[in-house]
Amino acid sequence: MGDVHARARVGIVGAGQLARMAQQAAIPLEIDLHVLAEAGDDSAAKVVPATSVGDYRSLEDLRTFAKTCDVLTFDHELPDPAHLQTLAEEGFCLRPGPAAKRFAQDKAYQRAELGAHGFPVPANATVTTAAEVAAFAADHGWPVVLKAPRGGYDGRGVFFVADEIEAAEAVARGPMVAEAHVELVRELAVLVARRPGGEAQAWPVVETVQVAGILRELVVPAPLDANRMEEARALGLRVAESIGVVGVMAVELFDTGSELLVNELACRPHNSGHWTIEGAATSQFANHLRAVLDWPLGVTTQLAEAVVTVNVLGRADGFDPAVGLPAALAVPGVGVHLYGKAARPGRKLGHVTALGDDPQETRARARKAAGALGEGIADG
Amino acid sequence: MGDVHARARVGIVGAGQLARMAQQAAIPLEIDLHVLAEAGDDSAAKVVPATSVGDYRSLEDLRTFAKTCDVLTFDHELPDPAHLQTLAEEGFCLRPGPAAKRFAQDKAYQRAELGAHGFPVPANATVTTAAEVAAFAADHGWPVVLKAPRGGYDGRGVFFVADEIEAAEAVARGPMVAEAHVELVRELAVLVARRPGGEAQAWPVVETVQVAGILRELVVPAPLDANRMEEARALGLRVAESIGVVGVMAVELFDTGSELLVNELACRPHNSGHWTIEGAATSQFANHLRAVLDWPLGVTTQLAEAVVTVNVLGRADGFDPAVGLPAALAVPGVGVHLYGKAARPGRKLGHVTALGDDPQETRARARKAAGALGEGIADG
């Protein structure tokens, strides 16, 4: 185990859209992808013949699945860190390993460790009572951002509290990481691929447009001057090196105008990297597979002056994006991706990526194609 | 049938590398690909969950498979034209239809029809005896090219005969299409995608480098002046329109220096279009699926100044290209494709595509990556 050869069996825990898009990258490299799905009709299960159905919360199911694979990697951050630790100790090859993965799984640990290593992060503290939140606010002001240490994503598990009464409601759910609310110019993401020996590549820095904590749009490159761009890229690479990740990771940043702060980490391919499928010489999915197999990474050059990705979220009226597919394909120069998921309000059902010469024109085309699929960001 | 909706089930007869690469294009469009494989470990069967095993030579197997699909298309030219005609008459949606497909399946028919419609083709005649070959040679000179009307590909079924004795040997196999041997400057291919209503797109014209009748290398764009380039492109589009193809077709041309002649037709995605996966805004596989579903076609723009594809053929010593995969991936800016096939001498096992600014430098990188996979064209 750990010595990974050609025709490797790469197991992905989880069978969402990330695993589904990984299959597109696995096919030409003759990588035998296996997925551990929650159900036989999960997004990736529909396109990966070697699908196992099991519970990622069960150590036994994880172990049974791991035995069918040469290397184990992840579609999400949800497996129990203790289970991953056990599997690593049993000799299974986990990439990223449990120590790196924990940075994306446990926000309290991540904040403490990054801060201790001198990385710029928002002021933070672990809190269990409303009084502790109020004490934190006395130093850093209201509102305070409270984050559940585990399990949150797409805005879930994140609470903006304006006073002690709202704080009491939030901490009733359990201990939280309190963070100072940061005034932003924009949010950024740096995507990094890293091999076990440390060879790493960062893609161009992305501006991420979030609405209610959910990523809606990517603009590549982010509208930064060359110095800030390089600062962000270098910060992403330093974080990847510091936590020892193997595979692709996303380092999400706050740009306050005067400084960059590390916001969130994801130790897997990430929504902020979807633009790389059409827009970069090597996609995040190809480089993730190459990294976890310890194969040479592909170049991360951007292929067009402007790249814009727009997510397609499920509408309240249950509109099925597949119905709009021909209309979306009629928009020139746009890559369309549907995830094979049933339409539910707010659910990520697909995305589109437009390439062009001008950011505004490119964004307009991306929004037009996304609009055909039912996405309403242009109106929102 | 024929009215094709979102989440369409597209059935491909055959499960070789073309069907395998079609799966990469099907996934993001939420197209439910089905393949009719000869064996469960066929190239595409390894990556398509909806694989049926059956015999493409059997009308009953074809019909059983067709019943599971909304539209039927093809990985190869080998199904019996009479079977396809029967299925079309039974109401199954075949794209391309039997009438267009016959142009790629029956060389005698193709030569007669193209000639009758005024398309430039080499001088030709159907022959059944050595004396008829000799009479043809009296007008057109030796050698004569004899082609089996059906089933030939990759140089199989093609005989260069220098005299009546060799001709006798060849015609002992059955009736042949005799063709004048044409002195070439180069061979070209024009790839066209066409929808049922006639909307069509051609990709940039490709130079194909053949060795012993097997395609080994593609250079895109072909080194032609603008007039000849446009002449080739227009000829490809006229042929597609004339035969009424639906889907992607390849029109292979001889460039004699003074004129262009139609050599072969393939009514399916084709080796000469593999460069489009990395090198064009829309791949031949994506546009084939879009065309057979009557969805808007994607733009066919070339994404780099120079694109070179090199095929990887099985070596005499049985070298497994997958062993060379990490070395091939270490060559920058090259897309690597392995087909999941067992190594056998002369078998097409994969290809690589390099993008660059300069044709020579780009070809050198492509050959280096192909060389890592065991391909010896650079030495040959």
Side-chain angles (χ1 to χ4, degrees):
Chain A
M1 196 69 64
D3 184 14
V4 179
H5 296 288
R7 299 213 179 77
R9 296 165 302 170
V10 174
I12 302 185
V13 176
Q17 62 263 29
L18 301 176
R20 182 182 174 98
M21 289 185 269
Q23 171 71 336
Q24 287 171 253
I27 291 172
L29 299 179
E30 232 172 56
I31 294 167
D32 185 9
L33 207 64
H34 292 226
V35 296
L36 179 62
E38 292 187 75
D41 64 350
D42 280 1
S43 178
K46 289 177 173 168
V47 300
V48 175
T51 292
S52 305
V53 174
D55 186 352
Y56 68 82
R57 288 164 291 243
S58 150
L59 175 60
E60 194 44 46
D61 283 8
L62 286 173
R63 187 187 287 119
T64 302
F65 179 64
K67 284 177 180 165
T68 69
C69 308
D70 297 307
V71 55
L72 209 63
T73 187
F74 307 94
D75 177 83
H76 54 62
E77 314 290 3
L78 303 174
D80 187 328
H83 291 167
L84 301 186
Q85 187 59 42
T86 301
L87 292 173
E89 285 163 8
E90 288 173 0
F92 293 102
C93 178
L94 275 60
R95 287 177 174 171
K101 191 76 178 162
R102 192 174 165 197
F103 278 81
Q105 295 183 302
D106 180 341
K107 288 195 174 70
Y109 174 79
Q110 181 219 101
R111 284 303 187 222
E113 285 293 308
L114 288 182
H117 285 82
F119 286 104
V121 293
N124 66 87
T126 298
V127 293
T128 53
T129 67
E132 285 171 352
V133 179
F136 183 83
D139 289 340
H140 303 286
W142 298 100
V144 171
V145 184
L146 296 179
K147 295 179 173 176
R150 289 205 52 207
Y153 64 98
D154 283 354
R156 276 175 271 191
V158 178
F159 310 91
F160 290 76
V161 296
D163 54 35
E164 208 171 325
I165 294 168
E166 288 184 14
E169 226 174 288
V171 295
R173 298 161 190 264
M176 294 274 168
V177 179
E179 284 188 5
H181 180 252
V182 175
E183 289 296 335
L184 306 177
V185 175
R186 62 178 69 82
E187 295 192 51
L188 304 173
V190 184
L191 197 73
V192 177
R194 187 174 177 276
R195 293 176 69 180
E199 186 203 328
Q201 291 267 12
W203 281 265
V205 179
V206 173
E207 176 174 6
T208 61
V209 180
Q210 320 261 345
V211 179
I214 300 181
L215 196 159
R216 303 294 290 272
E217 216 168 62
L218 309 174
V219 178
V220 201
L224 301 174
D225 67 40
N227 287 343
R228 185 52 57 96
M229 184 74 86
E230 181 48 32
E231 183 192 344
R233 201 178 149 276
L235 179 55
L237 285 164
R238 279 208 316 282
V239 169
E241 178 66 28
S242 175
I243 75 170
V245 74
V246 173
V248 160
M249 78 172 296
V251 181
E252 296 186 88
L253 303 174
F254 291 143
D255 178 359
T256 69
S258 58
E259 62 175 340
L260 299 177
L261 300 174
V262 177
N263 174 26
E264 298 287 350
L265 306 182
C267 287
R268 51 174 170 79
H270 186 255
N271 196 162
S272 64
H274 289 356
W275 69 276
T276 61
I277 299 174
E278 287 88 5
T282 310
S283 82
Q284 65 167 343
F285 301 101
N287 262 352
H288 182 69
L289 293 171
R290 289 160 74 152
V292 303
L293 291 168
D294 201 13
W295 290 349
L297 301 177
V299 291
T300 54
T301 327
Q302 188 167 337
L303 297 179
E305 289 293 309
V307 180
V308 175
T309 294
V310 177
N311 277 347
V312 176
L313 302 189
R315 284 201 321 214
D317 66 2
F319 179 79
D320 177 2
V323 171
L325 195 49
L329 294 172
V331 183
V334 178
V336 175
H337 300 258
L338 294 181
Y339 302 154
K341 292 157 73 175
R344 285 208 299 263
R347 195 180 199 199
K348 287 179 183 168
L349 302 176
H351 74 270
V352 303
T353 296
L355 273 61
D357 298 323
D358 172 75
Q360 291 314 313
E361 187 278 335
T362 305
R363 172 180 268 180
R365 264 187 296 120
R367 286 183 169 187
K368 188 174 177 192
L373 300 171
E375 170 60 29
I377 189 168
D379 320 317
Chain B
M1 194 72 63
D3 185 14
V4 178
H5 295 288
R7 296 210 182 80
R9 296 164 301 169
V10 174
I12 302 185
V13 177
Q17 63 262 29
L18 300 176
R20 181 183 176 97
M21 289 185 270
Q23 170 72 336
Q24 287 171 252
I27 291 171
L29 299 179
E30 232 171 55
I31 294 167
D32 185 10
L33 208 64
H34 291 225
V35 297
L36 179 62
E38 293 187 76
D41 65 349
D42 280 1
S43 177
K46 289 176 173 168
V47 300
V48 176
T51 292
S52 305
V53 174
D55 186 352
Y56 66 83
R57 287 163 292 242
S58 150
L59 175 60
E60 193 44 46
D61 283 9
L62 286 173
R63 187 186 288 118
T64 302
F65 179 64
K67 284 177 181 165
T68 69
C69 308
D70 297 306
V71 55
L72 208 63
T73 188
F74 307 93
D75 177 83
H76 53 63
E77 313 291 3
L78 302 175
D80 187 328
H83 291 169
L84 301 187
Q85 187 58 44
T86 301
L87 293 174
E89 284 163 8
E90 289 173 0
F92 293 102
C93 177
L94 276 60
R95 290 180 173 167
K101 191 75 179 162
R102 191 174 166 198
F103 278 81
Q105 295 184 302
D106 180 340
K107 288 195 174 70
Y109 175 79
Q110 180 218 102
R111 283 304 187 221
E113 285 294 308
L114 288 182
H117 285 80
F119 286 103
V121 293
N124 66 86
T126 298
V127 294
T128 53
T129 67
E132 284 170 354
V133 179
F136 183 83
D139 289 340
H140 303 285
W142 299 100
V144 170
V145 184
L146 297 178
K147 295 179 173 177
R150 289 204 52 208
Y153 65 99
D154 283 354
R156 276 175 271 193
V158 178
F159 310 92
F160 290 77
V161 297
D163 54 35
E164 207 170 326
I165 294 168
E166 289 184 13
E169 227 174 287
V171 295
R173 297 160 191 264
M176 293 275 168
V177 178
E179 283 189 6
H181 179 252
V182 175
E183 290 295 336
L184 307 178
V185 175
R186 62 178 69 81
E187 295 192 50
L188 304 172
V190 184
L191 197 73
V192 177
R194 187 176 177 276
R195 292 176 69 180
E199 186 203 330
Q201 291 268 10
W203 281 265
V205 180
V206 173
E207 177 174 8
T208 61
V209 180
Q210 320 260 346
V211 179
I214 300 181
L215 196 160
R216 303 293 290 272
E217 216 168 61
L218 309 175
V219 178
V220 201
L224 302 174
D225 66 40
N227 286 343
R228 186 52 57 96
M229 184 75 86
E230 182 48 33
E231 182 191 345
R233 201 179 149 277
L235 178 54
L237 284 165
R238 279 208 315 281
V239 169
E241 178 65 28
S242 174
I243 75 170
V245 74
V246 173
V248 160
M249 78 171 298
V251 181
E252 296 185 89
L253 303 174
F254 291 142
D255 178 359
T256 70
S258 58
E259 62 176 341
L260 299 177
L261 301 173
V262 177
N263 175 26
E264 299 286 350
L265 305 183
C267 287
R268 52 174 168 78
H270 186 254
N271 196 162
S272 64
H274 288 357
W275 70 276
T276 60
I277 299 174
E278 287 88 5
T282 310
S283 82
Q284 64 167 342
F285 301 102
N287 262 351
H288 182 68
L289 293 171
R290 288 160 73 152
V292 303
L293 291 169
D294 200 13
W295 290 351
L297 301 176
V299 292
T300 53
T301 327
Q302 188 167 336
L303 297 179
E305 288 293 310
V307 181
V308 175
T309 293
V310 177
N311 277 347
V312 176
L313 302 188
R315 284 203 320 216
D317 66 3
F319 179 80
D320 178 2
V323 172
L325 194 49
L329 294 173
V331 183
V334 178
V336 176
H337 300 259
L338 294 180
Y339 301 154
K341 292 158 72 176
R344 286 207 298 264
R347 196 178 199 199
K348 287 179 182 169
L349 302 177
H351 75 269
V352 302
T353 297
L355 273 61
D357 299 322
D358 173 75
Q360 292 313 312
E361 187 278 336
T362 305
R363 172 181 267 180
R365 264 187 296 120
R367 286 184 168 186
K368 188 175 176 192
L373 300 171
E375 171 60 29
I377 188 168
D379 320 317

